[in-house]
Amino acid sequence: MAKSAPPLNTPHRSYPRHGYDPGQFPSSNLFAAVGDGIWDNGAACGRQYLVKCISAADPGTCVPDQVIQVRIVDFALTAVSPPSHDGTTMVLSDTAFGTIANSTALSINIEFQQI
């Protein structure tokens, strides 16, 4: 599935499922918050996804053939996880975003698959 993904300002604090527990974040800092389409009333927390940048407004933004594995740690509300856009599916940590795309991009289109 392809959807947009802006970067998530880190360090991030997660409340919905685990409270603020730094242990829920992977040591790689490859994590994300998700919107309603994936959140599933909190069941998505802890799930893992393979994520790839497939396009962006500016050519050359995506790192070619780079796929990352992220852990879902939170629900992404537009007002809580800036700079999300309405309808954002996944908000990536700064590390995750910068691994698959130019970190100066405002948002990217991604392809993702639950593993």
Side-chain angles (χ1 to χ4, degrees), residues 1 28 30-31 48-54 62-71 90 92 95-101 108-115:
M1 176 172 284
S28 65
L30 298 176
F31 60 88
Q48 307 262 342
Y49 285 84
L50 295 176
V51 180
K52 177 181 180 177
C53 178
I54 57 171
C62 295
V63 176
D65 301 316
Q66 182 68 46
V67 178
I68 58 172
Q69 182 175 327
V70 298
R71 179 185 302 161
M90 194 174 287
L92 301 171
T95 301
F97 191 94
T99 301
I100 62 172
I108 57 175
N109 293 312
I110 60 170
E111 181 176 88
F112 58 91
Q113 178 180 350
Q114 184 180 345
I115 55 173

Side-chain angles (χ1 to χ4, degrees), residues 44-94:
C45 198
R47 288 182 186 157
Q48 307 262 342
Y49 285 84
L50 295 176
V51 180
K52 177 181 180 177
C53 178
I54 57 171
S55 68
D58 295 324
T61 297
C62 295
V63 176
D65 301 316
Q66 182 68 46
V67 178
I68 58 172
Q69 182 175 327
V70 298
R71 179 185 302 161
I72 305 307
V73 298
D74 202 353
F75 178 65
L77 294 174
T78 301
V80 175
S81 300
S84 331
H85 303 286
D86 288 339
T88 293
T89 300
M90 194 174 287
V91 182
L92 301 171
S93 67
D94 290 343

